[in-house]
Amino acid sequence: MSLPAEFEQFHWMVDMVQNIDLGLIVIDKEYKVQLWNGFMTHHSGRQSHDAIGLSLFELFPEIPRAWFEVKTKPVYNLGCRSFITWRQRPYLFKCRNVRPVTQQADFMYQNVTLNPMRTPTGDIKSIFLSIQDATAEALVADNHKA
């Protein structure tokens, strides 16, 4: 017996979200984590069941709350993306560098995109963050400065 195509596609989507080589986090307007993918578990050392329901500021007290709220304001209010590059701030989430032998960095440099998530009625009640490991790019740039 075969599964309905919609169920199979849903399963694929869940598998992609958990295994993509990007951090994916969904937060609500209170900055509480709604989704925490496998990339974030691997790089932060925090399991999804330990992150979901907690505020980003509880999980990562190094994030300056007022600064981050300014970054999320246009996403919630205007429905546009917001960006944080490693050049503005080396990381949003202090994660270990998982390739310390090949890359000489104590942490993962990150590029982060904050994206609106619209409900079927068009409201924005959550945003998702995509976190890209930019360590290699940052180290190349630093080596060119020297």
Side-chain angles (χ1 to χ4, degrees), residues 7-127:
F7 181 77
E8 190 170 6
Q9 288 177 348
F10 175 77
H11 179 74
W12 289 345
M13 293 295 284
V14 170
D15 198 35
M16 285 188 291
V17 164
Q18 287 304 321
N19 294 298
I20 193 167
D21 198 25
L22 281 174
L24 295 175
I25 301 171
V26 174
I27 58 171
D28 63 17
K29 286 190 173 184
E30 286 78 44
Y31 301 96
K32 291 189 178 179
V33 174
Q34 305 298 306
L35 178 125
W36 188 264
N37 80 336
F39 178 98
M40 291 305 297
T41 296
H42 176 68
H43 291 281
S44 74
R46 292 179 171 94
Q47 298 294 320
S48 62
H49 58 82
D50 294 328
I52 292 175
L54 292 180
S55 159
L56 281 183
F57 309 111
E58 291 176 80
L59 291 166
F60 296 91
E62 68 272 11
I63 298 173
R65 186 180 187 119
W67 171 83
F68 189 71
E69 287 174 350
V70 167
K71 294 302 254 181
T72 62
K73 196 173 222 173
V75 183
Y76 281 119
N77 295 342
L78 304 174
C80 61
R81 290 180 172 174
S82 183
F83 303 92
I84 304 165
T85 70
W86 67 267
R87 291 183 188 271
Q88 296 169 319
R89 180 178 170 84
Y91 57 84
L92 181 60
F93 306 102
K94 187 154 189 184
C95 295
R96 65 188 189 273
N97 177 19
V98 296
R99 294 176 271 190
V101 174
T102 59
Q103 297 182 7
Q104 304 305 311
D106 295 332
F107 55 86
M108 178 201 305
Y109 287 80
Q110 298 161 6
N111 289 327
V112 180
T113 305
L114 294 82
N115 304 276
M117 295 186 73
R118 296 187 187 280
T119 65
T121 60
D123 296 329
I124 300 168
K125 295 184 178 179
S126 302
I127 62 176

